[in-house]
Coordinates of all heavy atoms in Angstrom, one line a residue:
M1 N 35.2 195.0 82.2 CA 35.1 193.8 83.1 C 35.0 192.6 82.3 O 34.2 192.6 81.3 CB 34.0 193.8 84.0 CG 33.9 192.5 84.9 SD 32.5 192.7 86.0 CE 31.4 191.5 85.5
V2 N 35.8 191.6 82.3 CA 35.7 190.5 81.6 C 34.9 189.4 82.4 O 35.1 189.2 83.5 CB 37.1 189.8 81.4 CG1 37.0 188.5 80.8 CG2 38.0 190.8 80.7
G3 N 33.9 188.8 81.7 CA 32.9 188.0 82.4 C 31.9 187.7 81.4 O 31.7 188.1 80.3
D4 N 30.9 186.6 81.9 CA 30.0 186.2 81.0 C 28.8 187.2 81.0 O 28.9 188.2 81.9 CB 29.4 184.9 81.4 CG 29.0 184.9 82.8 OD1 28.1 185.6 83.2 OD2 29.4 184.1 83.6
Q5 N 28.1 187.2 80.0 CA 27.0 188.2 80.0 C 26.1 188.2 81.2 O 25.7 189.2 81.4 CB 26.3 187.9 78.6 CG 25.2 188.9 78.3 CD 25.8 190.3 78.1 OE1 27.0 190.5 77.5 NE2 25.2 191.4 78.5
E6 N 25.7 187.1 81.7 CA 24.8 187.1 82.8 C 25.5 187.8 84.1 O 24.8 188.6 84.6 CB 24.6 185.6 83.1 CG 23.6 185.5 84.3 CD 23.3 184.1 84.7 OE1 23.5 183.1 83.9 OE2 22.8 183.8 85.9
S7 N 26.7 187.5 84.2 CA 27.5 188.2 85.4 C 27.5 189.7 85.1 O 27.2 190.5 86.0 CB 28.8 187.7 85.5 OG 28.8 186.3 86.0
N8 N 27.8 190.0 83.9 CA 27.9 191.5 83.6 C 26.5 192.2 83.8 O 26.4 193.3 84.3 CB 28.4 191.8 82.2 CG 29.9 191.5 81.9 OD1 30.6 191.3 83.0 ND2 30.3 191.4 80.8
T9 N 25.5 191.6 83.5 CA 24.1 192.0 83.6 C 23.7 192.3 85.0 O 23.2 193.3 85.5 CB 23.1 191.2 82.9 OG1 23.4 191.2 81.6 CG2 21.7 191.7 83.2
V10 N 24.2 191.2 85.8 CA 23.8 191.4 87.3 C 24.6 192.6 88.0 O 24.0 193.3 88.7 CB 24.2 190.0 88.1 CG1 24.2 190.3 89.6 CG2 23.4 188.9 87.6
V11 N 26.0 192.7 87.6 CA 26.7 193.8 88.2 C 26.1 195.1 87.7 O 26.0 196.1 88.5 CB 28.2 193.6 87.7 CG1 29.0 194.8 88.0 CG2 28.8 192.4 88.4
L12 N 25.8 195.2 86.4 CA 25.3 196.5 85.9 C 24.0 196.9 86.5 O 23.8 198.0 86.9 CB 25.1 196.5 84.2 CG 26.5 196.4 83.6 CD1 26.1 196.3 82.1 CD2 27.2 197.8 83.8
N13 N 23.1 195.9 86.7 CA 21.9 196.1 87.4 C 22.1 196.7 88.9 O 21.4 197.6 89.4 CB 21.0 194.9 87.4 CG 20.3 194.7 86.1 OD1 20.3 195.6 85.1 ND2 19.9 193.4 86.0
R14 N 23.0 196.0 89.4 CA 23.3 196.5 90.9 C 23.9 198.0 91.0 O 23.6 198.6 91.7 CB 24.2 195.6 91.6 CG 23.6 194.2 92.0 CD 24.6 193.2 92.6 NE 23.9 191.8 92.9 CZ 24.2 190.8 93.2 NH1 25.7 190.8 93.2 NH2 23.6 189.7 93.4
L15 N 24.8 198.2 90.0 CA 25.4 199.6 90.0 C 24.4 200.6 89.5 O 24.4 201.7 90.1 CB 26.5 199.5 89.0 CG 27.8 198.8 89.3 CD1 28.9 198.7 88.2 CD2 28.4 199.4 90.7
R16 N 23.4 200.2 88.7 CA 22.5 201.1 88.2 C 21.5 201.4 89.5 O 21.0 202.5 89.8 CB 21.5 200.7 87.1 CG 22.3 200.7 85.9 CD 21.4 200.3 84.5 NE 22.2 200.4 83.4 CZ 22.7 199.3 82.8 NH1 22.4 198.0 83.2 NH2 23.4 199.5 81.7
R17 N 21.3 200.4 90.3 CA 20.4 200.6 91.5 C 21.1 201.4 92.4 O 20.6 202.4 93.0 CB 20.1 199.2 92.1 CG 19.1 199.3 93.4 CD 18.9 197.9 93.9 NE 18.4 197.0 92.8 CZ 18.8 195.8 92.6 NH1 20.0 195.4 93.2 NH2 18.3 195.1 91.6
A18 N 22.4 201.2 92.7 CA 23.2 202.0 93.7 C 23.2 203.6 93.0 O 23.2 204.5 93.8 CB 24.5 201.5 93.8
H19 N 23.4 203.7 91.7 CA 23.4 204.9 91.1 C 22.1 205.7 91.5 O 22.0 206.9 91.9 CB 23.5 205.0 89.7 CG 23.6 206.3 88.9 ND1 22.6 206.7 88.4 CD2 24.7 207.0 88.7 CE1 22.9 208.0 87.7 NE2 24.2 208.1 88.0
G20 N 20.9 205.0 91.4 CA 19.8 205.6 91.6 C 19.5 206.1 93.2 O 19.0 207.0 93.6
Q21 N 19.9 205.1 94.0 CA 19.9 205.3 95.5 C 20.8 206.4 95.8 O 20.3 207.3 96.6 CB 20.4 204.0 96.2 CG 19.4 202.9 96.1 CD 19.9 201.6 96.7 OE1 21.1 201.2 96.4 NE2 19.1 200.8 97.2
L22 N 21.9 206.7 95.3 CA 22.7 207.7 95.6 C 22.2 209.1 95.1 O 22.3 210.0 96.0 CB 24.1 207.5 94.9 CG 25.2 208.6 95.2 CD1 25.4 208.6 96.8 CD2 26.5 208.3 94.6
A23 N 21.5 209.1 94.0 CA 20.8 210.3 93.6 C 19.8 210.6 94.6 O 19.6 211.8 95.0 CB 20.2 210.1 92.2
G24 N 19.2 209.7 95.1 CA 18.1 209.7 96.1 C 18.7 210.3 97.5 O 18.1 211.3 98.1
V25 N 19.9 210.0 97.8 CA 20.6 210.5 99.0 C 21.0 211.9 98.9 O 20.6 212.7 99.7 CB 21.9 209.6 99.4 CG1 22.7 210.3 100.4 CG2 21.4 208.2 99.8
I26 N 21.4 212.2 97.7 CA 21.9 213.6 97.4 C 20.5 214.5 97.4 O 20.5 215.6 98.1 CB 22.5 213.8 96.1 CG1 23.9 213.0 96.1 CG2 22.6 215.2 95.5 CD1 24.5 212.9 94.7
S27 N 19.5 214.1 96.9 CA 18.2 214.8 97.0 C 17.8 215.0 98.4 O 17.2 216.0 98.9 CB 17.2 214.1 96.1 OG 15.9 214.8 96.1
M28 N 17.8 214.0 99.2 CA 17.4 214.0 100.6 C 18.2 214.9 101.3 O 17.5 215.7 102.1 CB 17.5 212.6 101.2 CG 16.6 211.5 100.7 SD 17.0 209.8 101.2 CE 16.3 209.9 102.9
I29 N 19.5 215.0 101.0 CA 20.3 216.0 101.8 C 19.9 217.5 101.4 O 19.8 218.3 102.2 CB 21.8 215.7 101.5 CG1 22.2 214.4 102.2 CG2 22.7 216.9 102.2 CD1 23.6 214.0 102.0
E30 N 19.8 217.6 100.1 CA 19.3 218.9 99.6 C 18.0 219.3 100.1 O 17.8 220.5 100.4 CB 19.2 218.8 98.1 CG 20.6 218.8 97.4 CD 20.6 218.6 95.9 OE1 19.5 218.1 95.4 OE2 21.5 218.8 95.3
Q31 N 17.1 218.4 100.4 CA 15.7 218.6 100.9 C 15.7 218.8 102.5 O 14.9 219.1 103.1 CB 14.7 217.6 100.6 CG 14.4 217.5 99.1 CD 13.7 216.2 98.8 OE1 13.4 215.6 99.7 NE2 13.5 215.9 97.6
G32 N 17.0 218.6 103.1 CA 16.9 218.6 104.5 C 16.3 217.4 105.3 O 15.8 217.7 106.5
R33 N 16.2 216.3 104.7 CA 15.6 215.2 105.3 C 16.2 214.8 106.7 O 17.4 215.0 106.8 CB 15.5 214.1 104.3 CG 14.7 214.4 103.0 CD 13.2 214.1 103.3 NE 12.9 212.7 103.6 CZ 12.6 211.8 102.8 NH1 12.7 212.0 101.5 NH2 12.4 210.6 103.3
D34 N 15.5 214.1 107.4 CA 16.1 213.5 108.6 C 17.2 212.7 108.4 O 17.4 211.9 107.6 CB 14.8 212.6 109.3 CG 15.3 212.1 110.6 OD1 15.5 212.9 111.5 OD2 15.3 210.8 110.8
C35 N 18.1 212.9 109.4 CA 19.5 212.2 109.4 C 19.3 210.7 109.3 O 20.0 209.9 108.5 CB 20.2 212.5 110.6 SG 21.9 211.7 110.8
K36 N 18.4 210.1 110.1 CA 18.2 208.6 110.2 C 17.8 208.2 108.9 O 18.2 207.1 108.3 CB 17.1 208.4 111.1 CG 16.8 206.8 111.1 CD 15.5 206.5 112.1 CE 15.2 205.1 112.0 NZ 13.9 204.9 112.5
D37 N 16.9 208.8 108.0 CA 16.6 208.4 106.7 C 17.6 208.5 105.7 O 17.9 207.6 104.9 CB 15.3 209.3 106.2 CG 14.1 209.2 107.0 OD1 13.8 208.0 107.6 OD2 13.2 210.1 106.9
V38 N 18.6 209.5 105.7 CA 19.6 209.7 104.9 C 20.6 208.6 105.1 O 21.1 208.0 104.2 CB 20.3 211.1 105.1 CG1 21.5 211.2 104.2 CG2 19.3 212.2 104.7
V39 N 20.9 208.3 106.4 CA 21.9 207.3 106.7 C 21.4 205.8 106.2 O 22.3 205.1 105.8 CB 22.3 207.3 108.1 CG1 23.1 206.0 108.6 CG2 23.1 208.6 108.6
T40 N 20.2 205.6 106.4 CA 19.6 204.3 106.0 C 19.7 204.2 104.5 O 20.2 203.1 104.0 CB 18.1 204.3 106.5 OG1 18.0 204.4 107.9 CG2 17.4 202.9 106.0
Q41 N 19.4 205.2 103.7 CA 19.5 205.1 102.3 C 21.1 205.0 101.9 O 21.3 204.2 101.0 CB 19.0 206.3 101.6 CG 18.7 206.3 100.2 CD 17.7 205.2 99.7 OE1 17.0 204.7 100.5 NE2 17.8 204.7 98.6
L42 N 21.9 205.8 102.5 CA 23.3 205.6 102.2 C 24.0 204.3 102.6 O 24.6 203.8 101.8 CB 24.0 206.7 103.1 CG 25.6 206.9 102.7 CD1 25.5 207.5 101.2 CD2 26.1 208.1 103.6
A43 N 23.4 203.5 103.5 CA 23.7 202.3 103.9 C 23.4 201.3 102.7 O 24.1 200.2 102.4 CB 23.2 201.8 105.3
A44 N 22.1 201.6 102.2 CA 21.6 200.8 100.9 C 22.6 200.8 99.9 O 22.8 200.0 99.0 CB 20.2 201.1 100.7
V45 N 23.0 202.1 99.6 CA 23.9 202.4 98.5 C 25.3 201.6 98.7 O 25.7 200.9 97.7 CB 24.2 203.9 98.3 CG1 25.3 204.1 97.3 CG2 23.0 204.6 98.0
S46 N 25.8 201.5 99.9 CA 27.1 200.9 100.2 C 26.9 199.4 100.1 O 27.7 198.8 99.5 CB 27.5 201.2 101.7 OG 28.6 200.6 102.1
R47 N 25.8 198.8 100.4 CA 25.5 197.4 100.3 C 25.4 197.0 98.7 O 26.0 196.0 98.3 CB 24.3 197.0 101.1 CG 24.4 196.9 102.5 CD 23.2 196.1 103.2 NE 21.9 196.9 102.9 CZ 21.4 197.7 103.6 NH1 22.0 198.2 104.7 NH2 20.2 198.4 103.3
A48 N 24.8 198.0 98.0 CA 24.6 197.7 96.6 C 26.0 197.6 95.9 O 26.4 196.7 94.9 CB 23.7 198.6 95.9
L49 N 26.8 198.6 96.2 CA 28.2 198.6 95.7 C 29.0 197.4 96.1 O 29.7 196.8 95.2 CB 28.8 200.0 96.2 CG 28.3 201.2 95.5 CD1 29.0 202.4 96.1 CD2 28.5 201.2 94.0
D50 N 28.8 197.1 97.3 CA 29.6 195.9 98.0 C 29.2 194.7 97.1 O 30.2 193.8 96.7 CB 29.4 195.7 99.4 CG 30.1 196.6 100.3 OD1 31.0 197.4 99.8 OD2 29.8 196.8 101.5
R51 N 28.0 194.5 96.9 CA 27.5 193.2 96.3 C 27.9 193.2 94.8 O 28.3 192.2 94.3 CB 25.9 193.2 96.4 CG 25.4 193.0 97.6 CD 23.9 192.7 97.6 NE 23.5 191.7 96.7 CZ 22.7 190.7 97.1 NH1 22.4 190.5 98.2 NH2 22.5 189.7 96.3
A52 N 28.0 194.4 94.2 CA 28.5 194.5 92.8 C 30.0 194.0 92.7 O 30.5 193.3 91.9 CB 28.3 195.9 92.2
G53 N 30.8 194.6 93.8 CA 32.2 194.3 93.8 C 32.4 192.8 94.1 O 33.3 192.2 93.5
F54 N 31.6 192.3 95.1 CA 31.9 190.8 95.4 C 31.4 189.9 94.0 O 32.1 189.0 93.8 CB 30.9 190.4 96.6 CG 31.4 190.9 97.9 CD1 30.6 191.5 98.7 CD2 32.9 190.8 98.2 CE1 31.1 192.0 99.9 CE2 33.3 191.2 99.3 CZ 32.4 191.9 100.3
K55 N 30.6 190.3 93.3 CA 30.1 189.6 92.2 C 31.2 189.7 91.1 O 31.6 188.7 90.5 CB 28.9 190.2 91.5 CG 28.3 189.5 90.3 CD 28.0 188.0 90.6 CE 27.2 187.3 89.3 NZ 27.1 185.9 89.6
I56 N 31.8 190.8 91.0 CA 33.0 191.0 90.1 C 34.2 190.0 90.5 O 34.8 189.3 89.8 CB 33.5 192.5 90.0 CG1 32.5 193.2 89.3 CG2 34.9 192.4 89.4 CD1 32.7 194.7 89.3
V57 N 34.5 190.1 91.8 CA 35.6 189.2 92.4 C 35.3 187.8 92.3 O 36.1 186.9 91.8 CB 35.9 189.5 93.8 CG1 36.8 188.5 94.6 CG2 36.5 190.9 94.0
A58 N 33.9 187.3 92.5 CA 33.6 185.9 92.3 C 33.7 185.4 90.8 O 34.1 184.4 90.7 CB 32.1 185.9 92.8
T59 N 33.4 186.4 89.9 CA 33.5 186.1 88.6 C 35.1 185.7 88.2 O 35.3 184.9 87.5 CB 32.9 187.2 87.7 OG1 31.5 187.2 88.0 CG2 33.1 186.9 86.2
S60 N 35.8 186.7 88.7 CA 37.3 186.7 88.5 C 37.8 185.3 89.1 O 38.6 184.6 88.4 CB 38.0 187.7 89.1 OG 37.8 189.0 88.4
L61 N 37.3 184.9 90.2 CA 37.7 183.7 90.8 C 37.2 182.5 90.1 O 38.2 181.6 89.7 CB 37.1 183.5 92.1 CG 37.5 182.3 93.1 CD1 39.0 182.1 93.3 CD2 36.9 182.2 94.4
R62 N 36.2 182.5 89.6 CA 35.5 181.4 88.7 C 36.5 181.2 87.4 O 36.7 180.2 87.0 CB 34.2 181.6 88.3 CG 33.5 180.4 87.6 CD 32.0 180.6 87.3 NE 31.9 181.7 86.3 CZ 31.1 182.8 86.5 NH1 30.5 183.0 87.6 NH2 31.0 183.6 85.6
Q63 N 36.7 182.4 86.8 CA 37.6 182.4 85.6 C 39.1 181.9 85.9 O 39.5 181.1 85.1 CB 37.7 183.8 85.0 CG 36.6 184.3 84.4 CD 36.4 185.7 84.0 OE1 37.4 186.4 84.4 NE2 35.5 186.1 83.2
C64 N 39.6 182.2 87.1 CA 40.9 181.7 87.4 C 40.8 180.3 87.6 O 41.7 179.5 87.1 CB 41.5 182.4 88.8 SG 42.9 181.9 89.2
L65 N 39.7 179.7 88.4 CA 39.7 178.3 88.8 C 39.4 177.4 87.3 O 39.7 176.3 87.3 CB 38.7 178.0 89.6 CG 38.9 178.5 91.0 CD1 37.7 178.4 91.9 CD2 40.2 177.9 91.7
T66 N 38.9 178.1 86.4 CA 38.6 177.4 85.1 C 39.6 177.4 84.1 O 39.5 177.0 83.0 CB 37.2 177.7 84.5 OG1 37.3 179.1 84.2 CG2 36.0 177.5 85.6
G67 N 40.7 178.2 84.4 CA 41.8 178.3 83.6 C 41.7 179.4 82.7 O 42.7 179.6 81.8
D68 N 40.7 180.3 82.7 CA 40.7 181.5 81.9 C 41.8 182.5 82.3 O 42.3 182.4 83.4 CB 39.3 182.2 81.9 CG 38.1 181.5 81.3 OD1 38.5 180.5 80.6 OD2 37.0 181.8 81.7
E69 N 42.1 183.3 81.4 CA 43.3 184.3 81.7 C 42.8 185.7 82.0 O 41.7 186.1 81.7 CB 44.2 184.3 80.5 CG 44.9 182.9 80.1 CD 45.8 183.0 79.0 OE1 45.6 183.9 78.1 OE2 46.5 182.0 78.8
T70 N 43.7 186.4 82.5 CA 43.4 187.8 82.9 C 43.5 188.7 81.7 O 43.9 188.2 80.6 CB 44.2 188.3 84.2 OG1 45.7 188.2 83.7 CG2 44.1 187.4 85.4
D71 N 43.4 189.9 81.9 CA 43.6 190.9 80.7 C 45.0 191.0 80.2 O 45.2 191.2 78.9 CB 43.2 192.4 81.2 CG 41.7 192.6 81.4 OD1 41.0 191.8 80.9 OD2 41.2 193.5 82.1
N72 N 45.9 190.6 81.1 CA 47.4 190.8 80.5 C 47.8 189.3 79.9 O 48.9 189.3 79.6 CB 48.3 191.1 81.6 CG 48.4 190.3 82.8 OD1 47.8 189.0 82.7 ND2 49.1 190.6 83.8
G73 N 46.8 188.5 79.8 CA 47.3 187.3 79.1 C 47.8 186.2 80.0 O 48.1 185.0 79.7
E74 N 47.9 186.5 81.3 CA 48.6 185.4 82.3 C 47.3 185.0 83.3 O 46.5 185.8 83.6 CB 49.6 186.2 83.1 CG 50.8 186.4 82.2 CD 52.0 187.1 82.9 OE1 52.0 187.0 84.2 OE2 52.9 187.8 82.2
P75 N 47.5 183.9 83.8 CA 46.6 183.4 84.9 C 46.6 184.2 86.0 O 47.7 184.8 86.4 CB 46.9 182.0 85.1 CG 47.8 181.6 84.0 CD 48.5 182.8 83.4
M76 N 45.4 184.4 86.7 CA 45.4 185.2 87.9 C 45.9 184.5 89.1 O 45.7 183.2 89.2 CB 44.0 185.6 88.3 CG 43.8 186.6 89.4 SD 42.2 187.2 89.7 CE 42.0 188.4 88.4
T77 N 47.0 185.0 89.8 CA 47.6 184.3 90.9 C 46.7 184.4 92.2 O 45.8 185.2 92.2 CB 48.9 185.0 91.3 OG1 48.5 186.3 91.8 CG2 49.8 185.1 89.9
E78 N 47.0 183.5 93.0 CA 46.3 183.4 94.4 C 46.5 184.8 95.0 O 45.4 185.3 95.7 CB 46.9 182.3 95.3 CG 46.2 182.2 96.6 CD 46.7 181.0 97.4 OE1 47.1 180.1 96.8 OE2 46.6 181.1 98.6
E79 N 47.6 185.4 95.0 CA 47.9 186.7 95.7 C 46.9 187.8 94.9 O 46.4 188.6 95.8 CB 49.3 187.2 95.5 CG 50.2 186.3 96.3 CD 50.6 184.9 95.7 OE1 50.4 184.8 94.4 OE2 50.9 184.0 96.5
Q80 N 46.8 187.7 93.6 CA 45.8 188.7 93.1 C 44.5 188.6 93.5 O 43.8 189.6 93.8 CB 46.0 188.7 91.5 CG 47.3 189.1 90.9 CD 47.5 188.6 89.5 OE1 47.2 187.6 89.0 NE2 47.8 189.7 88.7
L81 N 44.0 187.4 93.5 CA 42.7 187.1 94.1 C 42.4 187.6 95.5 O 41.6 188.2 95.9 CB 42.2 185.6 94.0 CG 42.1 185.2 92.6 CD1 41.9 183.6 92.4 CD2 40.8 185.8 92.0
E82 N 43.5 187.3 96.4 CA 43.4 187.7 97.7 C 43.3 189.2 97.9 O 42.5 189.8 98.6 CB 44.6 187.1 98.5 CG 44.6 187.5 100.0 CD 45.9 187.0 100.7 OE1 46.6 186.1 100.1 OE2 46.0 187.4 101.8
K83 N 44.1 189.9 97.0 CA 44.1 191.3 97.1 C 42.8 191.9 96.5 O 42.2 192.9 97.2 CB 45.3 191.9 96.1 CG 45.4 193.3 96.2 CD 46.7 193.7 95.4 CE 47.0 195.1 95.5 NZ 48.2 195.6 94.8
L84 N 42.2 191.3 95.6 CA 40.7 191.7 95.2 C 39.8 191.5 96.3 O 39.0 192.5 96.6 CB 40.3 190.8 94.0 CG 40.9 191.2 92.6 CD1 40.5 190.2 91.7 CD2 40.5 192.6 92.2
F85 N 39.8 190.4 97.1 CA 38.9 190.3 98.1 C 39.3 191.3 99.3 O 38.4 192.0 99.8 CB 39.0 188.9 98.7 CG 38.2 187.9 98.2 CD1 38.9 186.9 97.4 CD2 36.8 187.8 98.1 CE1 38.1 186.0 96.6 CE2 36.1 186.9 97.4 CZ 36.8 186.0 96.7
L86 N 40.4 191.6 99.6 CA 40.8 192.5 100.6 C 40.4 193.9 100.4 O 40.2 194.7 101.2 CB 42.2 192.3 101.0 CG 42.8 191.1 101.7 CD1 44.2 190.9 101.8 CD2 42.0 190.9 103.0
T87 N 40.4 194.2 99.1 CA 40.1 195.5 98.7 C 38.6 195.9 99.0 O 38.3 197.1 99.4 CB 40.2 195.6 97.0 OG1 41.7 195.4 96.7 CG2 39.9 197.1 96.6
L88 N 37.8 194.8 99.0 CA 36.5 195.2 99.3 C 36.2 195.0 101.0 O 35.0 195.4 101.3 CB 35.5 194.0 98.6 CG 35.4 194.3 97.1 CD1 34.7 193.2 96.5 CD2 34.9 195.6 96.7
A89 N 37.1 194.5 101.6 CA 36.9 194.3 103.1 C 37.0 195.6 103.8 O 37.5 196.5 103.4 CB 37.8 193.3 103.6

C-alpha cells in the first residue's frame, strides 16, 4: 500500500485487531459457544476490516487530490476512486 507511515500504521493496527478477533471467532465456534456471541464477534471483525478498507481508500483519495500518482505512474481517475469506494459498499 502506498501511503504515509501514519496511515499505514493505522491500517496495520486495524488489520491486526481483526486478525485477533477472527482467531477468537474460530475458537468460539470450535468450543461450541452461543450463536449470539459468535455473531457479535464476527460483526466486530467485519467492522474492523471495513474501517481498514475505508482508511486505504481515503488515503488514495488524498493522494489523488494532492497530485500524487498511483503505482502505475498515472494519476488516479475519478472512476478508479469510485470503484474503490463501491468495492467496500
Side-chain angles (χ1 to χ4, degrees):
M1 179 178 114
V2 176
D4 60 55
Q5 186 61 37
E6 182 179 342
S7 294
N8 288 346
T9 300
V10 169
V11 168
L12 288 171
N13 286 341
R14 287 179 180 163
L15 291 174
R16 286 184 183 108
R17 185 176 307 123
H19 184 263
Q21 289 170 324
L22 185 56
V25 170
I26 292 168
S27 177
M28 291 171 77
I29 292 171
E30 290 173 342
Q31 296 169 5
R33 296 275 300 271
D34 183 60
C35 177
K36 179 183 172 199
D37 295 336
V38 171
V39 170
T40 299
Q41 191 66 17
L42 195 56
V45 173
S46 179
R47 283 190 304 272
L49 291 174
D50 286 344
R51 290 184 61 126
F54 288 131
K55 182 65 173 176
I56 291 168
V57 171
T59 300
S60 295
L61 178 60
R62 186 177 69 237
Q63 289 172 346
C64 179
L65 292 175
T66 59
D68 292 345
E69 297 178 342
T70 61
D71 289 340
N72 65 5
E74 297 180 13
M76 187 174 280
T77 66
E78 183 177 330
E79 291 79 21
Q80 289 171 314
L81 287 169
E82 182 178 347
K83 190 173 185 177
L84 283 174
F85 277 112
L86 291 175
T87 300
L88 294 172

